[in-house]
Amino acid sequence: MKNSDQNPITCAHFPKCGGCTALNIPYSEQLASKQKMLHNIFSSFNIDIPEITASPNPLYYRHKVQLPFGSFGKGQHRKITLGCYALDSHNVIDQKECFVQDRDLTAIAHTIRRWAQKAGFQPYDERKGSGFLRHCLLRKGASTGEILVGLVTNGGRIPGSRNFARSLMDEAQKVISKNSQIIGVVQNVNTRSTNVVLGEHYEVWRGREFLKEKLGQYRFNVGLSTFFQVNPFAAPLLYNLVLEQIPQGSSVLDVYCGVGTITLWVSQKASRVLGIEENRHSVREAIAAARVNEVKNVKFLAGDASALLAECTDDFNIAIVDPPRKGLEERVINALKNSSVSKIIYVSCNPQSLLRDIKMLSPRFHLTSLKGVDMFAHTNHVECVAVLEAEYTV
């Protein structure tokens, strides 16, 4: 690898691996390309789009890793592979190095591959629906060094799982940095024929089912399925863009709030914040985070966003929305258009669905500013914070 972030990076798996698509482009050029992309997508709006906010750490920034198991060879010579899918396929690249995921997580992935081969586990074959190990899911707390190991399996808990977990933890602990610690091994059971990675059932093989993390002044518990920004270095920059748009003393709705990261972040300026989230487990974690951080002016509700919005938007003047890649549901858009909200702060990881939703929120709301943050360096993805102002009241 070349030392400067301005130079292309030489990776053994590029360009076959689908994890990175721009690793051969100097980082400054990547940022310029993403800014140009936003200009092109939102060219019909009369706004200036500033330079993309760079990731403070363009390398080794991913603190969540999700890798499928595979295999090559036959019979006694069959070997387990573990890595990203090859570009535009489901063939597993047997990962030897990675320049975007945390170094400890890469080292643990190598250990898990050796451990699985030694233990005799079979990788999942999606064509036949057979085999035990489907995915390896790793998370690390950037501020704490705590690491959670997840194994997604095509079957339930197995005899000797605690011994397997102990041997895995012992081996993995040897290869990580001295300030890091593996705090748990968790099994997720997914027996469905689906591309969805996680199933509904969890088994704790050893240790804790969550890691502790801190963003800014706020502490959170993060489990395998918890939505949490994968780039902890750029996340505060993203959240500060949202915070800048909150007038002191505002009443704020945070829709799709997850475990309450943005909710707590904007509570610094808001008089009160209501977080809305469909996932009840995430809501429980958000309530716990508010209690641990002694934040008193927030509240959380679990349920369908459109139904809850229809009940409570008259009491709030700002709405924050941070939906999944597919964007806002039409019912949520209609609820916002019929609300008393005067400003929408839209956090999006997909500029195309953002564009669609901005058009659907018209003519009630119009786009006044848009800023990109490079949460996903060396890929074509970019996170955006769009601000929409109400044209009229209802």
Side-chain angles (χ1 to χ4, degrees), residues 253 309-310 312-319 332-344 361 364-365 390 392-394:
L253 281 168
L309 277 172
C312 64
T313 49
D314 288 343
D315 298 324
F316 295 85
N317 57 321
I318 293 179
V332 172
I333 290 174
N334 290 333
L336 289 169
K337 290 172 72 172
N338 294 320
S339 74
S340 61
V341 168
S342 60
K343 178 190 280 189
I344 297 173
L361 285 162
R364 174 72 204 289
F365 296 95
Y392 55 85
T393 59
V394 295

Side-chain angles (χ1 to χ4, degrees), residues 39-107:
H39 271 291
N40 292 339
I41 293 173
F42 297 95
S43 60
S44 61
F45 299 91
N46 186 27
I47 60 170
D48 291 324
I49 298 178
E51 292 182 355
I52 303 292
T53 298
S55 174
N57 291 28
L59 301 178
Y60 308 113
Y61 62 86
R62 287 195 66 99
H63 278 57
K64 175 188 175 183
V65 176
Q66 189 171 280
L67 303 174
F69 286 94
S71 66
F72 71 92
K74 295 182 179 180
Q76 294 180 342
H77 300 290
R78 192 181 193 195
K79 300 294 184 182
I80 289 179
T81 58
L82 182 63
C84 293
Y85 287 123
L87 194 63
D88 298 326
S89 83
H90 270 205
N91 296 325
V92 175
I93 298 289
D94 199 26
Q95 187 184 89
K96 298 295 189 292
E97 60 182 352
C98 182
F99 293 104
V100 297
Q101 65 194 34
D102 177 81
R103 289 181 174 92
D104 281 343
L105 301 188
T106 299

Side-chain angles (χ1 to χ4, degrees), residues 15-29:
K16 294 181 179 179
C17 176
C20 299
T21 52
L23 203 63
N24 61 327
I25 301 172
Y27 188 53
S28 60
E29 293 182 22

Side-chain angles (χ1 to χ4, degrees), residues 7 20 34 51 55 72 75 81 109 155 172 215 228 234 276-277 296 299 315 338 341 380 383:
N7 293 323
C20 299
K34 291 182 181 185
E51 292 182 355
S55 174
F72 71 92
T81 58
L215 275 181
F228 208 82
I276 294 174
E277 170 60 48
K296 306 295 185 183
K299 182 180 178 181
D315 298 324
N338 294 320
V341 168
N380 293 327
E383 196 93 2

Side-chain angles (χ1 to χ4, degrees), residues 94-211:
D94 199 26
Q95 187 184 89
K96 298 295 189 292
E97 60 182 352
C98 182
F99 293 104
V100 297
Q101 65 194 34
D102 177 81
R103 289 181 174 92
D104 281 343
L105 301 188
T106 299
I108 292 173
H110 295 170
T111 301
I112 288 173
R113 180 173 50 219
R114 292 192 298 269
W115 166 85
Q117 185 76 38
K118 183 178 179 180
F121 290 121
Q122 293 299 310
Y124 180 69
D125 185 326
E126 60 185 11
R127 292 169 298 180
K128 298 178 181 178
S130 61
F132 185 64
L133 293 175
R134 297 181 68 136
H135 282 80
C136 162
L137 204 159
L138 306 172
R139 305 196 80 145
K140 180 180 176 182
S143 66
T144 63
E146 292 192 344
I147 297 172
L148 186 64
V149 175
L151 298 171
V152 184
T153 64
N154 181 39
R157 189 158 184 166
I158 58 174
S161 59
R162 289 191 62 83
N163 290 332
F164 282 123
R166 184 173 61 248
S167 66
L168 174 57
M169 289 177 71
D170 289 345
E171 289 301 310
Q173 192 67 42
K174 297 175 184 176
V175 300
I176 60 178
S177 56
K178 64 179 181 180
N179 295 323
S180 300
Q181 181 184 8
I182 300 170
I183 49 84
V185 177
V186 178
Q187 177 191 20
N188 174 269
V189 180
N190 185 0
T191 58
R192 297 172 295 170
S193 178
T194 175
N195 288 332
V196 177
V197 173
L198 292 174
E200 298 294 328
H201 182 67
Y202 293 84
E203 292 278 355
V204 180
W205 283 11
R206 191 173 182 86
R208 250 194 276 134
E209 61 183 339
F210 64 89
L211 61 81

